[in-house]
Amino acid sequence: MENKSQSPVLTKKHSLADIRFPSPGSASTHGCDHVKSQLEASQPDLIKRYTTLMQTIHKNGAIGPHLSKSSAISLRPTYLCLDCSTVFPSEQRGQHDKKHNLCVESSKGNVYCRECDDFVYDNTLEEIRTQQGKKRKHTVFMSDVDSKILAANAAPTPCRAKGLRGLYNMGQTCFMSVVLQSLIHNPFIRAFYLSVGHRSLDCEREACTSCALDDIITEFHSTEKAEGYGAVAMLQGSWKGGGNLAGYQQQDAHEYLQFILNSLHTTNLEEDEKEEKAEDCNCVIHRAFCGLMRSTVVCSKCKNVTTALDPFMDLSLDLKSSAPKKKKNEAPVAPQAIDLTDCLDRFTSPEILQASEYRCRECDSQQSATKRFALSRLPPVLPIHLKRFSHSKSSSTSIKLDAKVHFPTVLDLQPYVGRPRSKKGSNETNGAKNGDADKGASPRPIYELSSVIVHKGKMDSGHYVSYAREGDEWFLFDDSKVVLVEEKEVLAAEAYMLFYIVQEI
């Protein structure tokens, strides 16, 4: 695609008054065939009943846990049939009239299809659901009730789009596309934007990146399409929010990830909501990506311990190859393979600080010391950045490290989780390596590989592609092209960024 200097053109954002319900039978309207058939048969009546139900839900508030006949607390809400006035608990959904396929979950108004045995997303009904009621602050990421409802009821269905769609390259924008694909296939981000999420219809921000992501995820999961998608709104929002991103030059995918996470955090705050510390922020981005890193410095003389906790949104790991240096007139030596756990070991290993680098407050003098990093609080989503691009200040040169990095599909982070230590004298404990976990501790932090970003080519000219897992299958995303691949191809890729998602919360 030819490079152009002008900004991408955005269509005018419609107001609530401009919105019209899609006509029945439109290919992009319906979440499943059963919704489609009922709308075609009785659209006015169905819309009227659903609108009335949504008005009731918003007026009376969400219906939370309720008491059953046995006086035991149920974590599942009631369901309201869209064809009759029947109200029934979730365990009786399959026992209701077989001719009545659709019912409404009573806490948030999501539509459940009995034939599909899953919640379904439909544009026509979703517009009604999101237009009702007042704006709410997004202060809760996912309640215990929500997570248990999701775990008990969500299942893949053949009539639901899976988001398997490519993004057009709009002039060296592959760095943006691969990061967006990792977000689109992130279950936490996807669940947020497909539920109450970011209310684009109420948002008045200009070139809002969260509105753009909301549009992308909604489009990708509403209907299956073979053609790519032009993320023009996201590109314009990125140009407006990140000054160095403007233009059609190739950018670094890791830098774009840092930008877009910060931008999505900002655009998901209410206008009157104050900025909080990253570790205390309840926005979806910080709840999903923000962890805490503990740095511990021990004075070699008095053994005084200085500890600091700092938030992090991703881990950047050095790649140090042990391959021998090439001598003159010798053929280039291929870099030796590295294991991801070796990189993590180096990151959390003790580092010796010289006396010129550290001043002890207790000794009130310059002293040598030992510094160590450990993961204090792990986020649900952990991006790992492998530092393949090396920059030398002395020679003002940059090179790309092509060392092969072996990474697992399942990653145990327990060895890298550190616990607080006493003020003086005691040795730092570091997860499974330096002592058994406390009794009653939380489950081991086991993470599963969710997506991989790959940089192909040289330092100054290259191309980004990504892999993402959907269910048990892996897909390659190369701009607008989407290809089903085997897991062994993913594990053989020259990874630049890895996205791991925790198995249990």
Side-chain angles (χ1 to χ4, degrees):
M1 182 175 180
E2 295 182 0
N3 291 354
K4 298 180 180 180
S5 58
Q6 67 268 25
S7 301
V9 179
L10 275 179
T11 57
K12 181 180 179 181
K13 193 174 184 66
H14 294 289
S15 65
L16 290 176
D18 296 327
I19 294 176
R20 296 180 180 178
F21 293 127
S23 59
S26 171
S28 62
T29 302
H30 309 290
C32 75
D33 292 337
H34 312 104
V35 176
K36 176 182 177 180
S37 61
Q38 288 205 227
L39 283 173
E40 289 177 338
S42 58
Q43 185 186 40
D45 293 338
L46 183 64
I47 288 178
K48 183 178 179 180
R49 288 195 297 270
Y50 185 69
T51 302
T52 302
L53 286 176
M54 288 309 307
Q55 289 173 343
T56 303
I57 290 173
H58 282 290
K59 180 179 179 181
N60 298 330
I63 302 174
H66 59 279
L67 294 178
S68 64
K69 294 181 180 179
S70 61
S71 298
I73 294 179
S74 172
L75 291 176
R76 301 181 184 181
T78 54
Y79 284 78
L80 315 172
C81 180
L82 265 178
D83 290 280
C84 63
S85 58
T86 305
V87 180
F88 45 86
S90 59
E91 57 267 22
Q92 295 181 10
R93 289 178 309 198
Q95 303 171 16
H96 188 53
D97 192 329
K98 294 183 178 180
K99 295 181 180 180
H100 298 175
N101 286 328
L102 303 179
C103 56
V104 179
E105 179 264 320
S106 63
S107 65
K108 295 181 180 177
N110 295 308
V111 178
Y112 180 87
C113 177
R114 189 175 59 81
E115 287 292 331
C116 295
D117 192 23
D118 197 5
F119 291 100
V120 293
Y121 178 90
D122 179 80
N123 287 350
T124 304
L125 302 180
E126 185 66 9
E127 286 183 359
I128 299 173
R129 190 178 76 86
T130 55
Q131 288 183 49
Q132 301 294 330
K134 299 179 180 180
K135 293 173 67 177
R136 290 179 288 178
K137 291 186 177 181
H138 312 312
T139 55
V140 179
F141 176 61
M142 184 178 289
S143 67
D144 291 339
V145 174
D146 290 336
S147 61
K148 292 188 178 183
I149 292 173
L150 188 63
N153 298 301
T157 60
C159 61
R160 184 188 66 187
K162 296 182 179 180
L164 299 175
R165 191 171 172 186
L167 293 165
Y168 288 123
N169 193 324
M170 297 176 288
Q172 299 194 60
T173 57
C174 55
F175 70 93
M176 180 181 76
S177 298
V178 292
V179 173
L180 291 180
Q181 291 290 3
S182 71
L183 296 177
I184 292 168
H185 295 278
N186 182 305
F188 297 99
I189 302 301
R190 178 176 57 204
F192 174 78
Y193 281 96
L194 288 180
S195 59
V196 290
H198 180 80
R199 298 199 170 189
S200 301
L201 299 176
D202 297 327
C203 182
E204 298 180 354
R205 293 183 176 89
E206 183 181 356
C208 175
T209 54
S210 198
C211 287
L213 184 59
D214 186 34
D215 292 342
I216 293 172
I217 292 180
T218 301
E219 170 72 14
F220 278 33
H221 288 87
S222 61
T223 182
E224 296 282 7
K225 289 185 178 180
E227 69 269 19
Y229 179 90
V232 179
M234 180 61 78
L235 182 61
Q236 187 182 54
S238 301
W239 284 9
K240 183 177 178 63
N244 62 327
L245 296 175
Y248 289 100
Q249 298 80 23
Q250 180 66 278
Q251 304 288 344
D252 181 69
H254 178 238
E255 292 180 0
Y256 184 75
L257 173 69
Q258 293 176 318
F259 158 77
I260 196 63
L261 292 183
N262 182 66
S263 179
L264 293 174
H265 153 70
T266 303
T267 53
N268 274 300
L269 293 176
E270 299 288 349
E271 293 182 2
D272 58 347
E273 194 171 353
K274 296 181 180 179
E275 282 276 0
E276 299 184 63
K277 292 182 179 179
E279 60 268 31
D280 298 326
C281 181
N282 278 316
C283 80
V284 63
I285 299 302
H286 282 99
R287 293 297 298 271
F289 288 90
C290 185
L292 284 177
M293 182 77 65
R294 174 181 289 108
S295 62
T296 305
V297 180
V298 182
C299 176
S300 59
K301 181 179 180 180
C302 69
K303 306 303 179 184
N304 179 63
V305 179
T306 303
T307 302
L309 288 174
D310 296 298
F312 70 91
M313 302 291 281
D314 63 79
L315 293 181
S316 289
L317 304 180
D318 286 318
L319 301 183
K320 293 184 178 180
S321 176
S322 57
K325 294 183 179 180
K326 183 177 73 71
K327 297 180 180 180
K328 290 184 178 180
N329 302 324
E330 283 187 349
V333 179
Q336 293 185 357
I338 307 171
D339 197 274
L340 179 63
T341 55
D342 294 335
C343 299
L344 288 167
D345 287 340
R346 282 196 297 269
F347 183 79
T348 55
S349 295
E351 174 189 358
I352 303 300
L353 300 179
Q354 301 300 322
S356 59
E357 301 176 280
Y358 175 71
R359 182 179 182 84
C360 178
R361 294 182 179 179
E362 292 291 324
C363 299
D364 194 24
S365 61
Q366 299 292 130
Q367 297 291 339
S368 61
T370 301
K371 183 178 182 180
R372 189 172 194 173
F373 289 111
L375 303 175
S376 177
R377 190 184 76 188
L378 288 167
V381 182
L382 178 65
I384 297 179
H385 165 230
L386 303 176
K387 295 182 179 179
R388 290 196 175 275
F389 303 136
S390 177
H391 307 278
S392 174
K393 293 182 179 180
S394 58
S395 60
S396 299
T397 58
S398 299
I399 60 172
K400 180 184 176 183
L401 304 177
D402 294 320
K404 169 63 181 175
V405 179
H406 295 294
F407 51 91
T409 56
V410 178
L411 179 63
D412 184 0
L413 289 175
Q414 184 63 45
Y416 314 105
V417 176
R419 292 180 291 174
R421 53 170 293 169
S422 60
K423 200 67 178 174
K424 285 190 178 183
S426 65
N427 294 323
E428 182 177 4
T429 56
N430 186 5
K433 287 189 174 182
N434 297 312
D436 296 329
D438 294 334
K439 293 182 179 180
S442 58
R444 293 180 71 87
I446 306 298
Y447 282 68
E448 291 183 327
L449 186 64
S450 171
S451 59
V452 180
I453 291 177
V454 178
H455 180 268
K456 296 182 176 182
K458 299 180 180 180
M459 177 79 184
D460 55 351
S461 62
H463 179 61
Y464 285 103
V465 299
S466 66
Y467 296 92
R469 179 167 56 86
E470 187 64 41
D472 295 327
E473 296 177 320
W474 282 94
F475 293 87
L476 166 67
F477 295 87
D478 185 353
D479 289 336
S480 59
K481 182 173 66 175
V482 182
V483 181
L484 176 66
V485 298
E486 295 184 6
E487 185 179 275
K488 63 181 181 181
E489 177 179 330
V490 180
L491 297 178
E494 191 176 284
Y496 178 54
M497 294 178 65
L498 304 165
F499 291 79
Y500 283 92
I501 295 180
V502 69
Q503 284 185 343
E504 297 182 24
I505 298 181

